[in-house]
Amino acid sequence: MAKIIEHLINGKMVSGAAGRVADVYNPATGEVTKQVALAPKSTVEEAIAAAEAAYPAWRDTPPTKRAQVMFKLKGLMEQNAEKICQLITDEHGKVLNDAMGELGRAIENIDFACGAPQLLKGEHSKNVGPAIDSWSEFQPLGVVAGITPFNFPAMVPAWMWPLAVVCGNTFILKPSERDPSSVMYIAELAQQAGLPAGVLNVVNGDKEAVDTLLNDPRVQAVSFVGSTPIAEYIYSTGTANGKRVQALGGAKNHAIVMPDADLDNAVNALMGAAYGSCGERCMAIPVVVAVGEDTGDALVAKLKAQLEVLKVGPGTDNSNDMGPLINKPHFEKVKGYVDLGVEEGALLVVDGRDLVVEGHENGYFLGGCLFDKVTPNMKIYQDEIFGPVLSIVRVNTQQEAMDLIDAHEYGNGTCIFTRDGEAARYFTDNIKVGMVGVNVPLPVPVAYQSFGGWKRSLFGDLFAYGPDGVRFYTRRKTITQRWPSAGVREGSQFSFPSNK
Ligand code: NAD
């Protein structure tokens, strides 16, 4: 019988014994390798109760002590990096080297969380009135929750819970039910690092678990990362219930290639950004806007040549560039978009639909696909496909390219390839997108910046992690205090207090 992945509640593994379960696959073979328990409402409520009970003592634990736990966890994650990456690759499918890149970014977020004592410092004003001092401090919210997607099973949870807990909150994580093992293991390492029971709880599950978190009044705030329809649902339901919510959604990131760009550099960068992790990244580049026909022709020729040598196969072999898609329904969906692009009249320059990986005939492998002559009215241009499908759109000017990007419903990431500083500066100043690259195809902010999109790529006011993360997981309190000198007593004042 397949192993059942359980829940971590109050420092212990809790089985969902009699409840619903979902299959977890190895996408490179198509085999069911494990099952994951899907928490019913009662199990999620147990986790919320554990987080609530752990909160008062954790809130009052000095930030340095909280940070020391993160410091130990960082060491444990580094020591066990290979095991974590193996778990990622076994369930997600990405190539081990790529998983190592993901884990590096996860650890970077733990590094940032180690700075809690500095990050939580308040602001002080002395003598705002006679013998009156005033200051702001940043207090935790209480019990907070995070809901995460399949495509970065270790990194996206690390955007949330480490920072939330060093800020003094207690946390309930609901990871993706498609690949939960790596984060379950990291949560176990966090217990070994000395995180007290109940501070981090992990409940596996689906909509039932998520809805319980959204509707329970004890949960103060929710961070979400996933697709836009669900992000919008999480934001509207959570805020209607009075919670603070940040909900990061989908994307369709465009790269502009200007006629003066270093084309070989641009093509190398685009190959990784379009096909790395099988295109299953919210910062992937699925659209290239070529400025000028000559640029378009040269780009298509160079991309086609590189696609011919793109190596696709199981993620356990580091010589592969790209692994399989996450599961069969997603494989069918992405393949369906390639069929649709042909029907819509786009020119399919490279067709990856017939790829067979020897020895892995039941894996969810799709070869890299390249469409030219894609136009904005096509569904393959408008929708997030989330697979190894790159579309080339041709325009005549930089402004036309920027107008296309601005008109698109998503505004997560974008990039321009150019040698012209003026063109680049005009782009970064004016484009309506949250994360912008200049000759950098995946401008994913480092942990000490913050991550987020504009338009329908983010619902809420604050980006994830970094300085915005600290603000999201804390509440400002401003305190005004007077200690009058002995013998000096003021009479009652009926006018509004001021220094006039
Ligand atoms: P998803 O929206 O299907 O799932 C995300 C989470 O929501 C999972 O934990 C899932 O269990 C839960 N969920 C799914 N359906 C739900 C429902 N009806 N009600 C309540 N909860 C539900 O996303 P995914 O397929 O796991 O991930 C891919 C998507 O995530 C892509 O759209 C990608 O662009 C996006 N993504 C965005 C970012 C970002 O930072 N903006 C980062 C990574 C991924």
Side-chain angles (χ1 to χ4, degrees):
M1 220 178 81
K3 180 189 168 198
I4 297 192
I5 303 160
E6 304 176 320
H7 318 288
L8 176 74
I9 298 177
N10 208 19
K12 293 193 190 72
M13 285 296 166
V14 173
S15 74
R20 293 182 302 129
V21 293
D23 290 336
V24 177
Y25 292 83
N26 178 341
T29 62
E31 283 164 358
V32 175
T33 51
K34 294 172 202 154
Q35 289 188 311
V36 60
L38 301 176
K41 187 167 185 247
S42 56
T43 302
V44 181
E45 285 176 343
E46 212 183 301
I48 298 172
E52 197 179 46
Y55 176 61
W58 183 245
R59 181 196 62 188
D60 293 340
T61 301
T64 15
K65 289 221 159 128
R66 301 199 293 247
Q68 278 161 17
V69 177
M70 289 300 135
F71 200 73
K72 281 198 188 128
L73 173 62
K74 173 184 153 77
L76 288 172
M77 285 171 72
E78 285 165 349
Q79 283 161 30
N80 293 285
E82 278 181 19
K83 177 165 178 189
I84 298 170
C85 291
Q86 190 67 51
L87 291 170
I88 295 174
T89 296
D90 286 349
E91 294 178 2
H92 176 283
K94 66 177 73 175
V95 177
L96 280 167
N97 280 341
D98 187 26
M100 202 52 96
E102 163 173 4
L103 184 64
R105 284 295 186 113
I107 291 174
E108 204 181 79
N109 279 272
I110 311 275
D111 282 344
F112 182 73
C114 290
Q118 170 72 16
L119 298 169
L120 291 171
K121 280 203 297 202
E123 295 162 350
H124 191 92
S125 302
K126 197 170 166 68
N127 284 334
V128 297
I132 301 177
D133 304 327
S134 178
W135 71 92
S136 287
E137 56 189 44
F138 297 95
Q139 299 193 345
L141 307 175
V143 177
V144 301
I147 300 151
T148 53
F150 80 84
N151 66 325
F152 285 104
M155 179 185 77
V156 173
W159 290 359
M160 300 176 182
W161 74 264
L163 194 53
V165 304
V166 293
C167 288
N169 302 284
T170 53
F171 204 88
I172 297 156
L173 177 69
K174 205 304 281 169
S176 171
E177 62 276 37
R178 300 184 201 169
D179 48 10
S181 291
S182 59
V183 78
M184 288 305 288
Y185 180 58
I186 292 169
E188 279 179 57
L189 294 179
Q191 311 302 300
Q192 281 178 35
L195 199 65
V199 172
L200 169 65
N201 305 275
V202 187
V203 288
N204 286 300
D206 55 7
K207 184 169 168 54
E208 183 173 348
V210 171
D211 284 346
T212 307
L213 292 168
L214 289 176
N215 290 307
D216 194 297
R218 293 170 293 179
V219 176
Q220 304 298 315
V222 177
S223 295
F224 172 87
V225 176
S227 60
T228 286
I230 310 296
E232 197 166 22
Y233 167 73
I234 301 282
Y235 185 76
S236 57
T237 312
T239 52
N241 287 334
K243 301 185 196 313
R244 185 180 284 191
V245 182
Q246 54 178 190
L248 284 73
K252 188 86 176 182
N253 308 311
H254 297 46
I256 299 179
V257 179
M258 296 290 285
D260 69 341
D262 174 341
L263 267 197
D264 288 322
N265 174 55
V267 167
N268 287 341
L270 289 169
M271 284 298 297
Y275 302 106
S277 202
C278 214
E280 292 172 323
R281 291 179 181 143
C282 68
M283 290 294 279
I285 296 280
V287 181
V288 175
V289 190
V291 177
E293 287 300 330
D294 291 350
T295 314
D297 291 345
L299 260 179
V300 170
K302 284 176 187 284
L303 285 166
K304 185 168 181 270
Q306 290 221 15
L307 271 165
E308 274 156 17
V309 293
L310 184 78
K311 225 181 136 208
V312 185
T316 44
D317 177 352
N318 264 328
S319 73
N320 288 321
D321 301 312
M322 191 173 104
L325 287 159
I326 181 72
N327 60 17
K328 182 117 182 156
H330 191 58
F331 169 82
E332 298 293 352
K333 182 179 150 189
V334 175
K335 201 159 169 255
Y337 269 111
V338 183
D339 301 341
L340 179 67
V342 174
E343 276 167 41
E344 289 183 312
L347 181 64
L348 186 58
V349 179
V350 180
D351 184 353
R353 287 175 294 182
D354 294 330
L355 175 88
V356 176
V357 176
E358 223 173 286
H360 290 77
E361 287 76 7
N362 295 323
Y364 312 127
F365 292 100
L366 184 68
C369 298
L370 178 67
F371 276 115
D372 191 11
K373 310 269 165 79
V374 174
T375 53
N377 60 322
M378 295 178 183
K379 289 284 281 174
I380 60 159
Y381 170 77
Q382 293 159 0
D383 294 358
E384 181 183 43
I385 298 175
F386 224 53
V389 183
L390 179 61
S391 292
I392 310 283
V393 181
R394 293 168 179 242
V395 298
N396 294 316
T397 64
Q398 178 183 357
Q399 190 59 54
E400 259 182 82
M402 288 175 59
D403 290 347
L404 264 184
I405 296 173
D406 287 346
H408 205 284
E409 68 169 309
Y410 298 118
N412 213 41
T414 188
C415 163
I416 190 167
F417 290 95
T418 181
R419 288 184 167 103
D420 178 344
E422 187 183 353
R425 194 163 192 273
Y426 180 75
F427 180 71
T428 58
D429 278 354
N430 293 291
I431 202 74
K432 295 187 180 70
V433 170
M435 293 171 283
V436 181
V438 175
N439 300 318
V440 173
L442 299 178
V444 179
V446 287
Y448 39 98
Q449 296 286 339
S450 293
F451 181 110
W454 286 15
K455 299 187 278 182
R456 288 173 60 75
S457 292
L458 169 68
F459 302 87
D461 303 310
L462 290 169
F463 278 20
Y465 67 77
D468 268 20
V470 178
R471 289 293 164 265
F472 184 79
Y473 293 123
T474 58
R475 230 185 315 239
R476 181 186 287 264
K477 182 176 276 182
T478 308
I479 297 145
T480 305
Q481 176 174 276
R482 166 191 277 165
W483 291 109
S485 313
V488 182
R489 289 286 177 272
E490 270 189 13
S492 302
Q493 271 194 38
F494 294 96
S495 51
F496 198 67
S498 86
N499 276 318
K500 283 264 166 354

